[in-house]
Amino acid sequence: MPALRGLAALTGWLGRYAWSAWAGVAGLFCLAAAWQAGHEFYGSFILPSPLETLAALSALIREPSFAIAARETAERSLIGFALAVTIGTGAGALAGYSFAAMRLMRPIVTVILGVPPIAWVVLALIWFGSSGGSAIMTVVVAAMPISFAGGLEGVATRDRALDAMARSFGASIWLRFRTVTVPHLISYLFPAWTTTAGTAWKVTVMAELLSNSGGIGGELATARALFDVPLVMALIVAVVTFALATEYVLLQPLRDRLERWREAGLPWGVKR
Amino acid sequence: MKLRLEGIGHAFLGRPVFERLDLTLDVGEVVALLGPSGCGKTTVLQIAVGLIDPLQGRVHRAYRRHAMVFQEPRLLPWMTARDNIAYGLRAVGVTRAQGEAAAVRRAEEVGLHPRDLDKYPIELSGGMRQRAAVARALAVDPDVMFFDEPFTAVDVGLKRVLQDLVIETAARERFSALFVTHDLAEAVRIAHRLVVLSGDALGLVTSRSIEGQPGARSDRDVFELVERWSRDPAFRELFDGERERAA
Protein backbone atom coordinates (compact mmCIF):
# COMPACT_ATOMS: atom_id res chain seq x y z
CA MET A 1 0.00 0.00 0.00
CA PRO A 2 2.73 2.57 0.81
CA ALA A 3 4.50 1.51 -2.41
CA LEU A 4 1.33 2.27 -4.35
CA ARG A 5 0.99 5.67 -2.73
CA GLY A 6 4.66 6.39 -3.45
CA LEU A 7 4.10 5.48 -7.10
CA ALA A 8 1.09 7.78 -7.28
CA ALA A 9 3.10 10.63 -5.75
CA LEU A 10 5.92 10.01 -8.23
CA THR A 11 3.52 10.03 -11.19
CA GLY A 12 1.96 13.25 -9.94
CA TRP A 13 5.36 14.87 -9.56
CA LEU A 14 6.45 13.70 -13.04
CA GLY A 15 3.26 15.12 -14.54
CA ARG A 16 3.74 18.49 -12.85
CA TYR A 17 7.42 18.57 -13.80
CA ALA A 18 6.71 17.79 -17.46
CA TRP A 19 3.87 20.31 -17.52
CA SER A 20 6.17 23.03 -16.19
CA ALA A 21 8.39 22.38 -19.23
CA TRP A 22 5.84 24.18 -21.43
CA ALA A 23 6.90 27.56 -20.07
CA GLY A 24 10.54 26.71 -20.76
CA VAL A 25 9.73 25.55 -24.30
CA ALA A 26 7.81 28.79 -24.94
CA GLY A 27 10.89 30.79 -23.90
CA LEU A 28 13.09 28.74 -26.22
CA PHE A 29 10.71 29.32 -29.13
CA CYS A 30 10.91 33.09 -28.53
CA LEU A 31 14.67 32.76 -28.87
CA ALA A 32 14.24 30.70 -32.06
CA ALA A 33 11.99 33.44 -33.49
CA ALA A 34 14.67 36.08 -32.86
CA TRP A 35 17.22 33.75 -34.45
CA GLN A 36 14.99 33.35 -37.54
CA ALA A 37 14.69 37.14 -37.79
CA GLY A 38 18.48 37.47 -37.66
CA HIS A 39 18.78 34.84 -40.35
CA GLU A 40 16.40 36.67 -42.65
CA PHE A 41 18.37 39.86 -42.18
CA TYR A 42 21.92 38.49 -42.60
CA GLY A 43 21.35 35.47 -44.83
CA SER A 44 22.33 31.81 -44.61
CA PHE A 45 26.09 32.20 -44.78
CA ILE A 46 26.40 34.37 -41.64
CA LEU A 47 23.51 32.91 -39.67
CA PRO A 48 21.80 29.73 -40.89
CA SER A 49 18.12 29.48 -40.04
CA PRO A 50 16.92 27.27 -37.15
CA LEU A 51 15.51 24.78 -39.66
CA GLU A 52 18.79 24.51 -41.58
CA THR A 53 20.57 24.01 -38.29
CA LEU A 54 18.13 21.27 -37.29
CA ALA A 55 18.70 19.54 -40.62
CA ALA A 56 22.47 19.74 -40.08
CA LEU A 57 21.99 18.45 -36.55
CA SER A 58 19.94 15.44 -37.64
CA ALA A 59 22.59 14.62 -40.26
CA LEU A 60 25.27 15.03 -37.61
CA ILE A 61 23.58 12.71 -35.12
CA ARG A 62 23.45 9.95 -37.72
CA GLU A 63 27.23 10.04 -38.17
CA PRO A 64 29.03 7.51 -35.97
CA SER A 65 31.95 9.90 -35.38
CA PHE A 66 29.62 12.32 -33.58
CA ALA A 67 28.64 9.74 -30.96
CA ILE A 68 32.32 9.15 -30.18
CA ALA A 69 33.05 12.88 -29.97
CA ALA A 70 29.99 13.52 -27.79
CA ARG A 71 30.96 10.70 -25.48
CA GLU A 72 34.47 12.09 -25.13
CA THR A 73 33.20 15.55 -24.29
CA ALA A 74 30.56 14.19 -21.91
CA GLU A 75 33.12 12.08 -20.06
CA ARG A 76 35.54 14.97 -19.73
CA SER A 77 33.00 17.48 -18.52
CA LEU A 78 31.42 14.94 -16.16
CA ILE A 79 34.77 14.05 -14.59
CA GLY A 80 35.65 17.75 -14.44
CA PHE A 81 32.26 18.55 -12.90
CA ALA A 82 32.55 15.78 -10.33
CA LEU A 83 36.06 16.82 -9.32
CA ALA A 84 35.22 20.53 -9.21
CA VAL A 85 32.09 19.93 -7.13
CA THR A 86 33.78 17.51 -4.72
CA ILE A 87 36.91 19.56 -4.14
CA GLY A 88 35.15 22.93 -4.23
CA THR A 89 32.25 22.01 -1.95
CA GLY A 90 34.47 20.12 0.48
CA ALA A 91 37.02 22.90 0.80
CA GLY A 92 34.27 25.54 0.94
CA ALA A 93 32.41 23.73 3.73
CA LEU A 94 35.63 23.36 5.71
CA ALA A 95 36.37 27.04 5.24
CA GLY A 96 32.86 27.84 6.45
CA TYR A 97 33.56 26.06 9.73
CA SER A 98 36.96 27.60 10.31
CA PHE A 99 37.46 31.33 10.07
CA ALA A 100 41.23 30.90 9.78
CA ALA A 101 40.81 28.58 6.81
CA MET A 102 38.30 30.98 5.29
CA ARG A 103 40.72 33.90 5.49
CA LEU A 104 43.46 31.78 3.91
CA MET A 105 41.36 30.27 1.13
CA ARG A 106 39.31 33.27 0.04
CA PRO A 107 42.18 35.18 -1.62
CA ILE A 108 43.39 31.98 -3.26
CA VAL A 109 39.96 31.46 -4.76
CA THR A 110 39.82 35.09 -5.89
CA VAL A 111 43.15 34.61 -7.67
CA ILE A 112 41.97 31.39 -9.33
CA LEU A 113 38.75 33.11 -10.35
CA GLY A 114 40.71 36.07 -11.76
CA VAL A 115 42.81 33.94 -14.13
CA PRO A 116 40.89 33.59 -17.42
CA PRO A 117 40.06 29.97 -18.35
CA ILE A 118 41.90 30.48 -21.64
CA ALA A 119 45.15 30.96 -19.69
CA TRP A 120 44.53 27.68 -17.89
CA VAL A 121 44.07 25.98 -21.26
CA VAL A 122 47.53 27.15 -22.31
CA LEU A 123 49.06 25.95 -19.04
CA ALA A 124 47.19 22.64 -19.17
CA LEU A 125 48.32 22.17 -22.75
CA ILE A 126 51.93 22.48 -21.63
CA TRP A 127 51.44 20.16 -18.65
CA PHE A 128 49.17 17.49 -20.09
CA GLY A 129 49.72 17.86 -23.81
CA SER A 130 46.96 17.40 -26.35
CA SER A 131 44.91 14.92 -24.30
CA GLY A 132 41.68 14.81 -22.34
CA GLY A 133 43.60 15.70 -19.19
CA SER A 134 44.05 19.30 -20.21
CA ALA A 135 40.29 19.73 -20.78
CA ILE A 136 39.49 18.14 -17.41
CA MET A 137 42.02 20.28 -15.58
CA THR A 138 40.70 23.45 -17.16
CA VAL A 139 37.14 22.54 -16.16
CA VAL A 140 38.16 21.79 -12.58
CA VAL A 141 40.09 25.02 -12.15
CA ALA A 142 37.50 27.19 -13.89
CA ALA A 143 34.44 25.70 -12.20
CA MET A 144 35.72 24.97 -8.70
CA PRO A 145 35.55 28.51 -7.21
CA ILE A 146 31.75 28.65 -7.66
CA SER A 147 31.24 25.45 -5.68
CA PHE A 148 33.72 26.69 -3.13
CA ALA A 149 31.79 29.93 -2.62
CA GLY A 150 28.51 27.97 -2.34
CA GLY A 151 29.89 25.59 0.27
CA LEU A 152 31.50 28.43 2.20
CA GLU A 153 28.40 30.62 2.32
CA GLY A 154 26.13 27.68 3.09
CA VAL A 155 28.11 26.56 6.13
CA ALA A 156 28.93 30.08 7.33
CA THR A 157 25.27 31.11 7.31
CA ARG A 158 23.94 27.96 9.02
CA ASP A 159 21.30 28.65 11.67
CA ARG A 160 23.14 28.75 14.99
CA ALA A 161 19.87 28.85 16.93
CA LEU A 162 18.89 25.48 15.45
CA ASP A 163 22.37 24.19 16.15
CA ALA A 164 22.02 25.24 19.81
CA MET A 165 18.64 23.48 19.93
CA ALA A 166 20.25 20.27 18.63
CA ARG A 167 23.10 20.59 21.11
CA SER A 168 20.64 21.05 23.99
CA PHE A 169 19.27 17.61 23.12
CA GLY A 170 22.78 16.19 23.09
CA ALA A 171 22.93 15.61 19.34
CA SER A 172 26.35 14.49 18.11
CA ILE A 173 28.39 16.57 15.66
CA TRP A 174 27.58 14.12 12.89
CA LEU A 175 23.82 14.24 13.51
CA ARG A 176 23.91 18.04 13.70
CA PHE A 177 25.84 18.19 10.45
CA ARG A 178 23.33 15.94 8.72
CA THR A 179 20.12 17.44 10.09
CA VAL A 180 20.94 21.11 10.66
CA THR A 181 23.82 22.10 8.37
CA VAL A 182 23.37 19.95 5.25
CA PRO A 183 19.72 20.83 4.45
CA HIS A 184 20.63 24.50 4.74
CA LEU A 185 23.81 23.99 2.71
CA ILE A 186 21.88 22.35 -0.12
CA SER A 187 19.93 25.52 -0.85
CA TYR A 188 23.25 27.26 -1.44
CA LEU A 189 24.81 24.40 -3.36
CA PHE A 190 22.20 23.89 -6.06
CA PRO A 191 22.61 27.30 -7.72
CA ALA A 192 26.39 26.78 -7.49
CA TRP A 193 26.15 23.28 -8.95
CA THR A 194 23.94 24.27 -11.88
CA THR A 195 26.40 27.05 -12.73
CA THR A 196 29.29 24.61 -12.35
CA ALA A 197 27.58 22.14 -14.68
CA GLY A 198 27.03 24.81 -17.33
CA THR A 199 30.62 26.00 -17.01
CA ALA A 200 31.87 22.41 -17.26
CA TRP A 201 30.28 21.91 -20.72
CA LYS A 202 31.40 25.26 -22.06
CA VAL A 203 34.95 25.05 -20.83
CA THR A 204 35.38 21.44 -22.01
CA VAL A 205 34.41 22.41 -25.54
CA MET A 206 36.69 25.44 -25.43
CA ALA A 207 39.64 23.46 -24.12
CA GLU A 208 39.08 20.74 -26.72
CA LEU A 209 38.95 23.29 -29.50
CA LEU A 210 42.15 24.99 -28.41
CA SER A 211 44.11 21.90 -27.49
CA ASN A 212 42.90 19.98 -30.56
CA SER A 213 42.10 16.93 -28.44
CA GLY A 214 38.98 15.63 -30.19
CA GLY A 215 35.51 15.72 -28.71
CA ILE A 216 32.86 18.22 -29.78
CA GLY A 217 35.44 20.99 -29.56
CA GLY A 218 37.55 19.11 -32.10
CA GLU A 219 34.52 18.76 -34.42
CA LEU A 220 33.92 22.46 -34.00
CA ALA A 221 37.51 23.23 -35.04
CA THR A 222 37.07 21.09 -38.16
CA ALA A 223 33.74 22.75 -39.04
CA ARG A 224 35.34 26.16 -38.64
CA ALA A 225 38.22 25.18 -40.94
CA LEU A 226 35.68 24.05 -43.56
CA PHE A 227 33.53 27.19 -43.10
CA ASP A 228 30.58 24.85 -42.54
CA VAL A 229 28.42 27.37 -40.66
CA PRO A 230 25.29 25.15 -40.30
CA LEU A 231 27.50 22.46 -38.79
CA VAL A 232 28.97 24.99 -36.31
CA MET A 233 25.45 26.01 -35.31
CA ALA A 234 24.37 22.36 -35.04
CA LEU A 235 27.30 21.62 -32.72
CA ILE A 236 26.45 24.63 -30.57
CA VAL A 237 22.83 23.45 -30.32
CA ALA A 238 24.07 19.99 -29.36
CA VAL A 239 26.25 21.35 -26.55
CA VAL A 240 23.44 23.58 -25.26
CA THR A 241 21.09 20.58 -25.31
CA PHE A 242 23.55 18.58 -23.23
CA ALA A 243 23.88 21.45 -20.74
CA LEU A 244 20.08 21.81 -20.49
CA ALA A 245 19.69 18.06 -20.04
CA THR A 246 22.24 18.04 -17.21
CA GLU A 247 20.31 20.73 -15.42
CA TYR A 248 16.73 19.61 -16.00
CA VAL A 249 17.14 15.84 -16.05
CA LEU A 250 19.86 15.47 -13.42
CA LEU A 251 20.01 18.44 -11.06
CA GLN A 252 16.48 19.88 -10.87
CA PRO A 253 14.70 16.60 -10.07
CA LEU A 254 17.30 15.99 -7.35
CA ARG A 255 16.65 19.43 -5.95
CA ASP A 256 12.88 18.90 -5.99
CA ARG A 257 13.39 15.67 -4.11
CA LEU A 258 15.61 17.23 -1.45
CA GLU A 259 13.75 20.49 -1.00
CA ARG A 260 10.17 19.28 -0.77
CA TRP A 261 9.76 21.20 2.51
CA ARG A 262 10.32 24.49 0.73
CA GLU A 263 7.51 23.84 -1.72
CA ALA A 264 5.15 23.15 1.19
CA GLY A 265 5.34 26.80 2.22
CA LEU A 266 4.57 28.30 -1.17
CA PRO A 267 1.08 29.66 -1.77
CA TRP A 268 -1.09 28.18 -4.50
CA GLY A 269 -0.21 29.46 -7.93
CA VAL A 270 3.45 29.94 -7.13
CA LYS A 271 3.94 26.19 -7.06
CA ARG A 272 5.37 25.69 -10.54
CA MET B 1 18.69 17.56 44.38
CA LYS B 2 18.69 17.31 40.60
CA LEU B 3 20.72 20.30 39.61
CA ARG B 4 22.99 22.64 41.52
CA LEU B 5 24.66 25.76 40.22
CA GLU B 6 27.50 26.60 42.58
CA GLY B 7 29.02 30.06 42.61
CA ILE B 8 28.68 30.54 38.88
CA GLY B 9 29.57 33.80 37.23
CA HIS B 10 29.71 34.95 33.65
CA ALA B 11 30.85 37.99 31.73
CA PHE B 12 30.48 39.21 28.17
CA LEU B 13 33.50 41.11 26.82
CA GLY B 14 34.79 41.74 30.33
CA ARG B 15 31.47 43.12 31.60
CA PRO B 16 30.17 40.85 34.37
CA VAL B 17 26.57 39.74 33.93
CA PHE B 18 26.26 38.00 37.30
CA GLU B 19 28.67 36.62 39.88
CA ARG B 20 28.61 34.00 42.64
CA LEU B 21 25.18 32.72 41.76
CA ASP B 22 23.89 29.64 43.62
CA LEU B 23 20.75 27.83 42.60
CA THR B 24 19.43 24.34 43.30
CA LEU B 25 16.62 22.41 41.71
CA ASP B 26 15.03 19.67 43.81
CA VAL B 27 13.23 16.60 42.53
CA GLY B 28 9.91 17.60 41.02
CA GLU B 29 10.45 21.24 41.82
CA VAL B 30 9.50 23.97 39.38
CA VAL B 31 11.55 27.12 39.89
CA ALA B 32 10.72 30.32 38.08
CA LEU B 33 13.66 32.59 37.32
CA LEU B 34 12.70 36.24 36.98
CA GLY B 35 14.70 39.36 36.36
CA PRO B 36 14.67 42.63 34.49
CA SER B 37 15.37 42.65 30.79
CA GLY B 38 19.03 42.01 29.95
CA CYS B 39 20.05 40.73 33.40
CA GLY B 40 21.32 37.40 32.11
CA LYS B 41 18.37 35.05 32.74
CA THR B 42 18.91 33.27 29.46
CA THR B 43 22.65 33.05 30.17
CA VAL B 44 21.95 31.26 33.48
CA LEU B 45 19.72 28.85 31.60
CA GLN B 46 22.28 28.24 28.86
CA ILE B 47 24.91 27.49 31.52
CA ALA B 48 22.53 25.12 33.28
CA VAL B 49 21.81 23.27 30.01
CA GLY B 50 25.49 23.21 29.10
CA LEU B 51 25.24 25.28 25.94
CA ILE B 52 27.88 27.66 27.32
CA ASP B 53 30.53 27.16 29.98
CA PRO B 54 30.50 29.53 32.95
CA LEU B 55 33.61 31.61 33.56
CA GLN B 56 33.44 30.81 37.28
CA GLY B 57 31.79 28.19 39.41
CA ARG B 58 30.52 24.68 38.75
CA VAL B 59 27.38 22.97 37.55
CA HIS B 60 26.42 19.69 39.25
CA ARG B 61 23.94 17.54 37.39
CA ALA B 62 22.36 14.51 39.02
CA TYR B 63 20.01 13.36 36.30
CA ARG B 64 19.83 11.28 33.17
CA ARG B 65 18.32 13.54 30.56
CA HIS B 66 17.21 17.11 30.14
CA ALA B 67 15.26 18.96 27.48
CA MET B 68 14.77 22.58 26.61
CA VAL B 69 11.95 24.70 25.21
CA PHE B 70 13.19 27.91 23.63
CA GLN B 71 11.54 31.27 23.22
CA GLU B 72 11.10 30.53 19.50
CA PRO B 73 9.92 27.04 18.48
CA ARG B 74 13.25 26.27 16.72
CA LEU B 75 11.77 23.46 14.66
CA LEU B 76 13.83 22.20 11.75
CA PRO B 77 12.02 23.60 8.68
CA TRP B 78 13.00 20.62 6.52
CA MET B 79 11.41 18.02 8.78
CA THR B 80 7.75 17.22 9.31
CA ALA B 81 6.22 17.89 12.73
CA ARG B 82 6.48 14.17 13.45
CA ASP B 83 10.24 14.04 12.77
CA ASN B 84 10.75 17.29 14.66
CA ILE B 85 9.05 15.92 17.77
CA ALA B 86 11.12 12.73 17.53
CA TYR B 87 14.34 14.70 17.01
CA GLY B 88 15.48 14.65 20.64
CA LEU B 89 14.95 10.88 20.75
CA ARG B 90 16.94 10.48 17.57
CA ALA B 91 19.76 12.44 19.20
CA VAL B 92 19.94 9.93 22.05
CA GLY B 93 19.85 6.96 19.70
CA VAL B 94 16.29 5.66 20.05
CA THR B 95 15.11 3.58 17.08
CA ARG B 96 12.99 5.22 14.44
CA ALA B 97 9.84 3.22 15.16
CA GLN B 98 9.99 3.90 18.92
CA GLY B 99 10.69 7.56 18.26
CA GLU B 100 7.64 7.81 16.00
CA ALA B 101 5.39 6.13 18.54
CA ALA B 102 6.56 8.52 21.25
CA ALA B 103 6.09 11.47 18.89
CA VAL B 104 2.49 10.49 18.16
CA ARG B 105 1.70 10.07 21.86
CA ARG B 106 3.31 13.36 22.90
CA ALA B 107 1.71 15.25 20.04
CA GLU B 108 -1.68 14.10 21.29
CA GLU B 109 -0.82 15.26 24.80
CA VAL B 110 0.01 18.78 23.68
CA GLY B 111 -3.10 18.94 21.51
CA LEU B 112 -1.66 18.48 18.04
CA HIS B 113 -3.99 16.70 15.62
CA PRO B 114 -2.53 13.52 14.05
CA ARG B 115 -3.30 15.11 10.68
CA ASP B 116 -0.81 17.91 11.45
CA LEU B 117 2.04 15.50 12.08
CA ASP B 118 2.88 15.15 8.40
CA LYS B 119 3.00 18.89 7.87
CA TYR B 120 6.14 20.96 7.73
CA PRO B 121 6.58 23.71 10.37
CA ILE B 122 5.88 26.40 7.78
CA GLU B 123 2.37 24.99 7.35
CA LEU B 124 1.60 25.17 11.08
CA SER B 125 0.36 28.19 13.01
CA GLY B 126 2.61 29.85 15.60
CA GLY B 127 0.78 28.19 18.47
CA MET B 128 0.99 24.77 16.81
CA ARG B 129 4.71 25.21 16.33
CA GLN B 130 5.25 26.01 20.00
CA ARG B 131 3.10 23.01 20.92
CA ALA B 132 5.34 20.85 18.74
CA ALA B 133 8.41 22.32 20.48
CA VAL B 134 6.95 21.39 23.88
CA ALA B 135 6.12 17.91 22.58
CA ARG B 136 9.69 17.52 21.32
CA ALA B 137 11.03 18.32 24.78
CA LEU B 138 8.54 16.00 26.53
CA ALA B 139 9.29 13.17 24.10
CA VAL B 140 12.71 12.46 25.59
CA ASP B 141 11.14 11.77 29.05
CA PRO B 142 13.32 14.41 30.68
CA ASP B 143 14.22 14.53 34.37
CA VAL B 144 14.84 18.24 34.13
CA MET B 145 13.14 20.69 31.80
CA PHE B 146 14.43 24.12 30.90
CA PHE B 147 12.07 26.80 29.62
CA ASP B 148 13.34 30.07 28.15
CA GLU B 149 10.34 32.44 28.09
CA PRO B 150 8.55 29.88 25.96
CA PHE B 151 5.09 31.42 25.80
CA THR B 152 5.84 35.12 25.28
CA ALA B 153 4.95 35.03 21.60
CA VAL B 154 1.62 33.20 21.86
CA ASP B 155 -1.76 34.80 22.49
CA VAL B 156 -3.26 35.04 25.98
CA GLY B 157 -5.69 32.15 25.67
CA LEU B 158 -3.16 29.74 24.26
CA LYS B 159 -0.59 30.90 26.80
CA ARG B 160 -2.89 29.72 29.58
CA VAL B 161 -3.46 26.39 27.89
CA LEU B 162 0.27 25.82 27.46
CA GLN B 163 0.98 26.87 31.06
CA ASP B 164 -1.62 24.38 32.28
CA LEU B 165 0.02 21.75 30.10
CA VAL B 166 3.38 22.40 31.78
CA ILE B 167 1.85 22.36 35.28
CA GLU B 168 0.01 19.12 34.56
CA THR B 169 2.91 17.23 32.98
CA ALA B 170 5.37 18.44 35.64
CA ALA B 171 3.06 17.07 38.34
CA ARG B 172 2.42 13.80 36.51
CA GLU B 173 5.93 12.99 35.32
CA ARG B 174 7.69 14.53 38.32
CA PHE B 175 10.32 16.36 36.31
CA SER B 176 12.10 19.36 37.79
CA ALA B 177 11.98 22.56 35.80
CA LEU B 178 13.73 25.87 35.56
CA PHE B 179 11.34 28.34 33.97
CA VAL B 180 12.73 31.68 32.83
CA THR B 181 10.10 34.37 32.45
CA HIS B 182 9.68 38.11 32.88
CA ASP B 183 6.01 37.75 33.73
CA LEU B 184 5.41 37.63 37.51
CA ALA B 185 1.87 36.30 37.08
CA GLU B 186 3.11 33.44 34.92
CA ALA B 187 5.80 32.61 37.47
CA VAL B 188 3.27 32.63 40.34
CA ARG B 189 0.91 30.36 38.38
CA ILE B 190 3.28 27.58 37.45
CA ALA B 191 6.16 27.49 39.97
CA HIS B 192 6.79 26.12 43.47
CA ARG B 193 9.48 28.66 44.09
CA LEU B 194 10.51 31.90 42.52
CA VAL B 195 13.97 33.48 42.32
CA VAL B 196 14.82 36.96 41.09
CA LEU B 197 18.07 37.76 39.32
CA SER B 198 19.51 41.21 39.89
CA GLY B 199 19.96 43.61 37.02
CA ASP B 200 23.18 44.98 38.54
CA ALA B 201 25.32 41.84 38.42
CA LEU B 202 24.63 41.09 42.09
CA GLY B 203 23.36 37.53 41.64
CA LEU B 204 20.02 36.42 43.05
CA VAL B 205 18.12 39.12 44.93
CA THR B 206 15.49 36.93 46.53
CA SER B 207 14.06 33.44 46.64
CA ARG B 208 10.43 32.90 47.67
CA SER B 209 8.34 29.81 48.03
CA ILE B 210 4.86 30.13 46.63
CA GLU B 211 2.08 28.71 48.80
CA GLY B 212 0.12 25.76 47.55
CA GLN B 213 0.69 23.52 44.55
CA PRO B 214 0.86 24.87 41.00
CA GLY B 215 -2.47 24.25 39.37
CA ALA B 216 -4.30 24.28 42.72
CA ARG B 217 -4.07 28.05 43.10
CA SER B 218 -7.10 30.04 42.09
CA ASP B 219 -6.87 33.02 39.78
CA ARG B 220 -7.76 35.24 42.76
CA ASP B 221 -4.81 33.87 44.79
CA VAL B 222 -2.45 34.43 41.88
CA PHE B 223 -3.74 37.95 41.33
CA GLU B 224 -3.47 38.93 44.97
CA LEU B 225 0.04 37.53 45.35
CA VAL B 226 1.19 39.39 42.25
CA GLU B 227 -0.38 42.59 43.62
CA ARG B 228 1.33 42.17 46.97
CA TRP B 229 4.72 41.27 45.51
CA SER B 230 4.74 44.07 42.99
CA ARG B 231 4.82 46.50 45.94
CA ASP B 232 7.61 44.46 47.60
CA PRO B 233 11.07 46.15 47.44
CA ALA B 234 12.71 42.86 46.41
CA PHE B 235 10.72 42.87 43.19
CA ARG B 236 11.06 46.57 42.50
CA GLU B 237 13.87 46.18 40.03
CA LEU B 238 11.67 43.93 37.94
CA PHE B 239 9.21 46.75 37.35
CA ASP B 240 11.82 49.53 37.27
CA GLY B 241 13.56 47.74 34.45
CA GLU B 242 10.33 47.56 32.51
CA ARG B 243 9.73 51.27 32.97
CA GLU B 244 13.30 52.11 32.02
CA ARG B 245 12.94 50.15 28.82
CA ALA B 246 9.64 51.81 27.96
CA ALA B 247 11.09 55.29 28.52
Side-chain angles (χ1 to χ4, degrees):
Chain A
M1 205 51 197
L4 205 66
R5 217 180 311 144
L7 195 70
L10 183 72
T11 323
W13 173 83
L14 263 176
R16 275 198 313 270
Y17 193 70
W19 183 250
S20 73
W22 282 116
V25 170
L28 290 180
F29 273 106
C30 287
L31 187 69
W35 177 0
Q36 178 72 32
H39 158 73
E40 277 166 27
F41 193 77
Y42 289 107
S44 270
F45 184 70
I46 304 286
L47 189 65
S49 74
L51 267 181
E52 285 173 79
T53 307
L54 276 185
L57 185 65
S58 69
L60 183 67
I61 290 170
R62 265 179 296 230
E63 272 177 48
S65 67
F66 175 73
I68 298 166
R71 226 195 45 214
E72 259 178 356
T73 305
E75 272 172 10
R76 287 167 188 169
S77 54
L78 206 72
I79 294 172
F81 172 75
L83 284 176
V85 157
T86 315
I87 301 171
T89 309
L94 276 181
Y97 274 114
S98 151
F99 286 109
M102 184 173 85
R103 297 224 168 98
L104 273 176
M105 287 198 221
R106 256 200 179 143
I108 299 175
V109 167
T110 315
V111 168
I112 294 175
L113 207 55
V115 179
I118 199 109
W120 290 115
V121 177
V122 174
L123 275 179
L125 209 56
I126 295 165
W127 293 340
F128 293 94
S130 189
S131 71
S134 53
I136 292 171
M137 192 209 112
T138 317
V139 168
V140 172
V141 181
M144 196 186 59
I146 311 161
S147 278
F148 177 87
L152 171 70
E153 289 300 319
V155 171
T157 60
R158 69 193 184 278
D159 193 334
R160 278 150 219 275
L162 288 180
D163 209 48
M165 180 281 293
R167 272 197 298 139
S168 81
F169 281 104
S172 63
I173 290 184
W174 174 229
L175 181 69
R176 263 154 42 209
F177 178 72
R178 274 185 307 147
T179 54
V180 180
T181 311
V182 167
H184 175 77
L185 185 60
I186 280 172
S187 59
Y188 279 82
L189 285 182
F190 268 102
W193 286 359
T194 45
T195 318
T196 308
T199 313
W201 282 104
K202 282 184 283 191
V203 173
T204 308
V205 171
M206 186 191 74
E208 282 171 348
L209 186 131
L210 290 168
S211 66
N212 198 20
S213 52
I216 291 183
E219 299 268 305
L220 211 53
T222 317
R224 188 200 60 146
L226 297 173
F227 272 107
D228 191 344
V229 189
L231 185 59
V232 173
M233 292 303 279
L235 285 165
I236 295 172
V237 170
V239 175
V240 170
T241 311
F242 287 145
L244 285 179
T246 322
E247 180 167 348
Y248 288 104
V249 179
L250 222 69
L251 289 171
Q252 288 293 346
L254 189 66
R255 178 186 200 151
D256 274 15
R257 175 87 191 75
L258 291 172
E259 300 220 304
R260 230 174 343 178
W261 62 275
R262 212 182 273 285
E263 203 190 337
L266 293 176
W268 286 105
V270 180
K271 290 184 185 176
R272 299 217 168 269
Chain B
M1 203 277 300
K2 283 278 168 189
L3 173 80
R4 191 163 95 236
L5 307 183
E6 192 185 332
I8 60 161
H10 201 72
F12 285 118
L13 301 169
R15 193 181 67 82
V17 188
F18 48 81
E19 276 168 340
R20 288 188 297 281
L21 184 142
D22 298 293
L23 183 67
T24 54
L25 214 56
D26 281 327
V27 180
E29 187 187 32
V30 178
V31 174
L33 174 62
L34 283 111
S37 172
C39 71
K41 299 186 292 281
T42 299
T43 310
V44 174
L45 203 65
Q46 284 174 333
I47 288 172
V49 182
L51 285 178
I52 51 179
D53 291 322
L55 289 179
Q56 304 151 18
R58 294 179 60 180
V59 181
H60 305 271
R61 298 192 182 88
Y63 55 80
R64 198 172 43 99
R65 237 179 246 171
H66 64 216
M68 182 159 176
V69 180
F70 295 85
Q71 194 165 359
E72 326 80 48
R74 298 202 186 179
L75 302 173
L76 296 168
W78 34 83
M79 282 187 187
T80 58
R82 183 194 310 271
D83 292 340
N84 263 298
I85 295 172
Y87 187 78
L89 288 170
R90 201 170 152 192
V92 294
V94 170
T95 62
R96 207 181 179 86
Q98 279 178 322
E100 286 220 349
V104 171
R105 186 165 60 85
R106 293 299 185 172
E108 202 191 332
E109 269 177 37
V110 300
L112 274 177
H113 199 276
R115 199 178 46 219
D116 292 330
L117 283 177
D118 289 317
K119 289 185 179 166
Y120 289 97
I122 203 162
E123 298 170 282
L124 299 172
S125 69
M128 292 290 192
R129 285 180 214 167
Q130 199 56 323
R131 280 175 201 255
V134 173
R136 175 178 63 192
L138 288 174
V140 299
D141 291 321
D143 305 300
V144 177
M145 279 277 262
F146 297 98
F147 294 91
D148 186 8
E149 304 193 22
F151 310 137
T152 28
V154 297
D155 68 78
V156 183
L158 184 59
K159 190 177 193 162
R160 214 184 144 84
V161 172
L162 290 172
Q163 283 169 357
D164 287 338
L165 182 76
V166 169
I167 293 167
E168 189 192 315
T169 44
R172 190 179 62 228
E173 317 213 344
R174 303 273 305 145
F175 58 71
S176 312
L178 185 59
F179 197 105
V180 166
T181 177
H182 59 252
D183 180 356
L184 188 54
E186 181 172 65
V188 167
R189 265 200 95 209
I190 65 162
H192 296 99
R193 189 157 65 90
L194 182 156
V195 292
V196 179
L197 188 63
S198 154
D200 303 318
L202 297 170
L204 295 180
V205 182
T206 183
S207 166
R208 306 274 176 102
S209 286
I210 307 167
E211 260 178 64
Q213 285 297 311
R217 299 169 195 136
S218 70
D219 282 351
R220 171 173 286 277
D221 294 343
V222 170
F223 182 77
E224 279 171 2
L225 196 56
V226 170
E227 275 293 291
R228 199 163 71 239
W229 278 354
S230 36
R231 284 191 294 273
D232 193 314
F235 292 91
R236 204 173 47 218
E237 215 180 4
L238 220 56
F239 299 96
D240 272 355
E242 293 293 318
R243 235 176 282 139
E244 195 181 295
R245 208 166 40 143

